[in-house]
Amino acid sequence: MDTRRRILVMALCVALPASAVDTVKVGVVEGLSGPPAITDFGESYLQGLKLALKDYAEHGGKPKIELIVYDDEANPQRAVSLVQRLIQSDNVSIVLGTVSSGNVMAFAPILQRAGVPLIAGPSIATNITTDFINQKPSFIFRCSMVEKFQIEAMLDWGVKNFKKLGLIHSTTGYGSFAAKSIAEGLKQRGSGLAAVEAAAPGVNDLTPQMLKMRDAGVDLVLDFHESFELVFRPMAALDYHPVVAGNWGLSSLKVEQVVGDKALEGTVMGQALDLAAPAAKAFDARMRKEYGKDYRWPVVAALGYDAGQIVAAAVSKAQSADPKALRDAIENVDGIKAITATPAHPFSPGDHECLKQKDVFLGVWKNGQVVRLEPKR
Amino acid sequence: MSWANFLQLLVSGLAMGAIYTLTAKGLFIAHLATNRLNFAQGDFLMIAALLTLALRGAGLPVVVVIPLVVALLGLGGWLLERGFIRPLDRLGFRGGGEYSWILTTAGAGLIVQNVAELAWGKSGQYSPPLFSGTNEPVRFLGVGVYPEQLAVIAVSFAVVAAFYYFLFRTHWGKSIYAVAFNPDAALLLGIDVRRMVILVFALASMLAAVSGVLAGPIVSVYPQMGLVFTVKGLAVAAVGGFSNPVAILVGGVLFGLAESFSNYFNSQFGDLLPLLGVLALLIVRPAGLVGARKATGR
């Protein structure tokens, strides 16, 4: 090839529009097996995400998005190796996931170093994005509940409306971290916990822990154990019926099926989806039609859907498979019509969370549905 | 601690202990005749609980469902021995390793788990009460007790009595002990060793069925639940010294009570302390509560 032709070819390559990219690969690592709470979270988030990408494809979205999904089995080592595989072998441009915050904290630094954007979800540990926000640019985003936000909302309400607060948490990293945040939050409010009880993750019976709650006169039990249904089981036998408030997991339709509407009535949890809102209602009906009995968690699926919308909008805007271009596109994405409280322009250089403190509210089970908890007048 | 609290902990500890006893009993009977442990015992319990749910969901009455599930699991036990353990044992003679049963039974457990996930999904399931329409407990002395808790306690005691009679008073029971003592000698005495081995695996699975049916309404039912029961069943059987039904009942009751009371006094380590207790006991008495000299329990 003579020099002139070589220059021409090079010039053509440079001048080729970015839209020449046909497909953008998006990697997903989710907890899709293991304890029920993990799989309920992981599958629900993925259901929403897939629906959003299906909508993108049906509307003729270009470039195409190819989803590569792996199951991390809630195992941090596996999650890390899957993310490495996504970056090195699958050459994905964006990664989404996963349920366990510990797993996200394990692989987020790898993605930050590799310069591949991560949209974390449905993990909720407070510091997932804030740990990276000062690294300019940060590649770590999140579309999920934020633990601190739901705990703050719950403690404000709990301290005002109840005499004695008790806490049951799991002995996992998640449960211990939540316990620490709750103890600190109550201290800041000049209050404290009347009883604190723990339980191992695989435990089957919380009778001893609930006895302690009853003896301490606790009228609000904060439930931060991954097996959300366990606190309800001994209540009838102990003739002890405190109000239960806890992790957003308590809004799962699976918890409703296992515990029953009657026992669940009045249970409060962190929320970011108001099913009374028309868009949320329409989404809920669509998900029920799409997934039938496999649909079990409106708020988690809705956040997955919103994450999918953000990915689609960023890919469409960037018209490129370059991770750095996609990172910029994600940060600047605008005009999202979110199902959850996620704003139309969710991110900025100083904030990589879909949800803000003001977007998180308390939901309550009422007549078989989670509705917004109205403050007492 | 008040009397009411003490009794409440006693009931919940006894109920959980009874489930562990039934699981341990299944491990014991298979170990007795074959020197093998069924690592899928907890998974058999799980599948029995899910089958009960499914059959009741299909509209079958409890009186039909219970014998049906027990029979199906008995068949499962036969399949485990005939289809998995024995063929690999044969390979063992050709250098396959005499511990192939560990992999075989654990693998069978994984298969059962995966089948359950495919059939019922990975989520937890609601298991309605067996004996009443509502999930209301019976109250006495200030204590609330679910009928299923009483049933599982009663059944575990009844099963111990039945096992004791079966093993030490019937021809089949004596045959099992003969096989356990020396399979070759038992064969020479005209005992059908193969049939005995199948019998014990079927019996073990039927015990898992009984515990699964009864445990369903008082624990969380999901495909991964089996491992915890296998581990705790092993701990209980070790406390009983894998020796006789009564020692295993004592081990199960002690373990269940230890779990219940230790969670009351220190919930942070409530589940760990009973397991540490078992380890400490085994250091002092490696043959379990009943020493080697009393291994037959007579």
Side-chain angles (χ1 to χ4, degrees):
Chain A
M1 198 185 285
D2 62 41
T3 313
R4 220 171 353 160
R5 281 177 67 188
R6 195 175 291 157
I7 289 168
L8 185 66
V9 169
M10 281 172 68
L12 265 174
C13 287
V14 171
L16 264 176
S19 60
V21 76
D22 185 48
T23 304
V24 173
K25 288 183 181 174
V26 172
V28 179
V29 176
E30 281 298 352
L32 302 172
S33 55
I38 297 286
T39 48
D40 286 349
F41 268 116
E43 286 183 356
S44 299
Y45 200 81
L46 191 58
Q47 284 171 349
L49 174 67
K50 281 184 172 169
L51 191 66
L53 297 186
K54 188 179 163 192
D55 287 352
Y56 172 74
E58 278 175 2
H59 288 96
K62 290 268 166 59
K64 285 181 191 159
I65 294 175
E66 182 190 337
L67 217 53
I68 300 171
V69 182
Y70 293 131
D71 173 12
D72 70 7
E73 298 167 5
N75 173 343
Q77 286 90 5
R78 187 170 158 81
V80 166
S81 72
L82 288 174
V83 163
Q84 282 167 338
R85 183 166 155 191
L86 282 170
I87 302 169
Q88 290 159 10
S89 307
D90 299 320
N91 295 316
V92 299
S93 305
I94 303 174
V95 173
L96 290 105
T98 181
V99 181
S100 309
S101 296
N103 293 14
V104 178
M105 297 309 282
F107 63 61
I110 298 170
L111 289 161
Q112 175 69 28
R113 272 199 303 275
V116 176
L118 165 71
I119 299 183
S123 43
I124 64 169
T126 305
N127 53 339
I128 284 176
T129 63
T130 48
D131 275 5
F132 296 89
I133 204 73
N134 292 327
Q135 299 189 23
K136 302 291 178 189
S138 166
F139 283 80
I140 312 302
F141 300 82
R142 164 161 56 186
C143 235
S144 184
M145 176 60 75
V146 179
E147 182 76 306
K148 188 179 185 326
F149 298 168
Q150 65 172 351
I151 286 179
E152 292 290 321
M154 202 170 295
L155 295 186
D156 283 342
W157 164 78
V159 167
K160 261 186 227 159
N161 295 291
F162 295 88
K163 289 192 188 90
K164 287 186 175 177
L165 277 63
L167 168 67
I168 293 182
H169 66 93
S170 73
T171 52
T172 59
Y174 163 71
S176 307
F177 185 80
K180 195 171 159 229
S181 308
I182 288 166
E184 283 170 4
L186 283 173
K187 200 174 168 191
Q188 284 164 11
R189 289 166 176 80
S191 182
L193 289 161
V196 183
E197 293 296 318
V203 72
N204 273 304
D205 180 25
L206 288 187
T207 301
Q209 288 86 342
M210 287 301 277
L211 270 175
K212 296 291 272 288
M213 294 287 145
R214 188 181 72 177
D215 290 353
V218 167
D219 53 353
L220 175 66
V221 173
L222 299 172
D223 178 11
F224 282 80
H225 191 283
E226 289 90 338
S227 298
F228 307 109
E229 77 284 2
L230 284 177
V231 295
F232 297 94
R233 210 182 281 279
M235 282 186 185
L238 302 184
D239 198 17
Y240 169 54
H241 300 279
V243 173
V244 176
N247 179 293
W248 64 326
L250 281 165
S251 65
S252 163
L253 300 178
K254 266 289 160 193
V255 176
E256 186 199 11
Q257 281 169 24
V258 174
V259 174
D261 285 343
K262 195 179 151 204
L264 210 52
E265 185 77 6
T267 297
V268 171
M269 79 297 298
Q271 268 295 302
L273 180 78
D274 186 355
L275 279 172
K281 214 181 252 180
F283 173 78
D284 188 51
R286 207 177 150 210
M287 287 295 286
R288 282 175 199 275
K289 199 175 155 200
E290 192 82 20
Y291 292 102
K293 68 176 177 57
D294 291 334
Y295 169 59
R296 52 202 184 273
W297 215 326
V299 64
V300 181
L303 279 161
Y305 187 87
D306 288 346
Q309 285 199 76
I310 290 169
V311 169
V315 168
S316 179
K317 188 177 178 186
Q319 291 292 313
S320 162
D322 173 37
K324 288 177 183 60
L326 284 165
R327 189 219 78 90
D328 295 344
I330 292 170
E331 194 171 85
N332 295 310
V333 81
D334 202 357
I336 297 291
K337 288 179 183 161
I339 307 296
T340 62
T342 300
H345 178 41
F347 305 125
S348 68
D351 178 11
H352 279 190
E353 296 285 356
C354 270
L355 298 175
K356 325 295 168 199
Q357 175 77 67
K358 68 176 175 50
D359 301 323
V360 175
F361 56 91
L362 294 179
V364 59
W365 276 103
K366 207 170 177 184
N367 301 322
Q369 204 183 15
V370 175
V371 296
R372 195 181 273 265
L373 178 73
E374 297 298 339
K376 277 186 186 171
R377 294 172 191 205
Chain B
M1 189 197 302
S2 67
W3 269 108
N5 280 6
F6 177 80
L7 285 175
Q8 193 74 59
L9 291 170
L10 193 74
V11 170
S12 67
L14 277 175
M16 289 312 292
I19 300 169
Y20 301 147
T21 302
L22 290 171
T23 312
K25 202 79 70 186
L27 291 166
F28 152 71
I29 182 87
H31 182 263
L32 180 69
T34 64
N35 280 326
R36 282 154 173 71
L37 289 167
N38 178 11
F39 285 107
Q41 191 70 16
D43 298 301
F44 277 39
L45 178 154
M46 171 273 293
I47 204 83
L50 285 172
L51 273 174
T52 308
L53 270 179
L55 292 171
R56 291 185 69 195
L60 290 176
V62 176
V63 285
V64 177
V65 169
I66 295 175
L68 193 59
V69 171
V70 171
L72 282 172
L73 265 284
L75 210 63
W78 169 79
L79 187 70
L80 175 72
E81 205 285 325
R82 201 67 193 83
F84 292 80
I85 296 174
R86 199 184 300 179
L88 271 169
D89 265 0
R90 284 203 197 110
L91 288 177
F93 294 112
R94 283 185 253 143
E98 60 181 297
Y99 294 105
S100 58
W101 55 270
I102 296 177
L103 206 59
T104 316
T105 55
L110 278 177
I111 292 171
V112 170
Q113 257 180 49
N114 281 292
V115 168
E117 283 181 2
L118 280 175
W120 288 281
K122 294 165 184 170
S123 299
Q125 305 286 335
Y126 169 64
S127 187
L130 286 172
F131 306 114
S132 61
T134 59
N135 215 357
E136 288 303 318
V138 183
R139 307 205 74 82
F140 70 96
L141 299 171
V143 173
V145 184
Y146 294 108
E148 286 76 14
Q149 286 181 313
L150 291 177
V152 77
I153 295 167
V155 166
S156 73
F157 277 82
V159 164
V160 169
F163 252 61
Y164 202 87
Y165 178 80
F166 173 76
L167 282 177
F168 301 129
R169 296 282 181 271
T170 67
H171 179 73
W172 281 37
K174 285 174 181 167
S175 301
I176 289 175
Y177 259 103
V179 173
F181 182 69
N182 188 330
D184 293 331
L187 198 64
L188 288 172
L189 288 169
I191 295 169
D192 190 339
V193 175
R194 282 187 174 182
R195 186 187 285 180
M196 286 300 131
V197 170
I198 289 178
L199 174 73
V200 295
F201 272 97
L203 270 176
S205 302
M206 286 157 90
L207 281 170
V210 173
S211 43
V213 168
L214 293 168
I218 53 177
V219 300
S220 300
V221 180
Y222 57 98
Q224 312 267 333
M225 69 187 274
L227 182 65
V228 171
F229 287 98
T230 304
V231 170
K232 291 182 178 173
L234 273 170
V236 167
V239 170
F242 282 99
S243 57
N244 83 56
V246 179
I248 286 173
L249 176 69
V250 173
V253 166
L254 282 179
F255 194 88
L257 290 177
E259 212 174 60
S260 182
F261 282 90
S262 69
N263 267 303
Y264 184 81
F265 289 112
N266 184 344
S267 57
Q268 190 76 35
F269 300 104
D271 262 30
L272 182 66
L273 292 173
L275 290 167
L276 288 177
V278 172
L279 282 179
L281 175 83
L282 292 179
I283 291 168
V284 182
R285 293 183 69 90
L289 281 178
V290 180
R293 275 189 293 170
K294 292 180 183 173
T296 61
R298 298 186 200 206

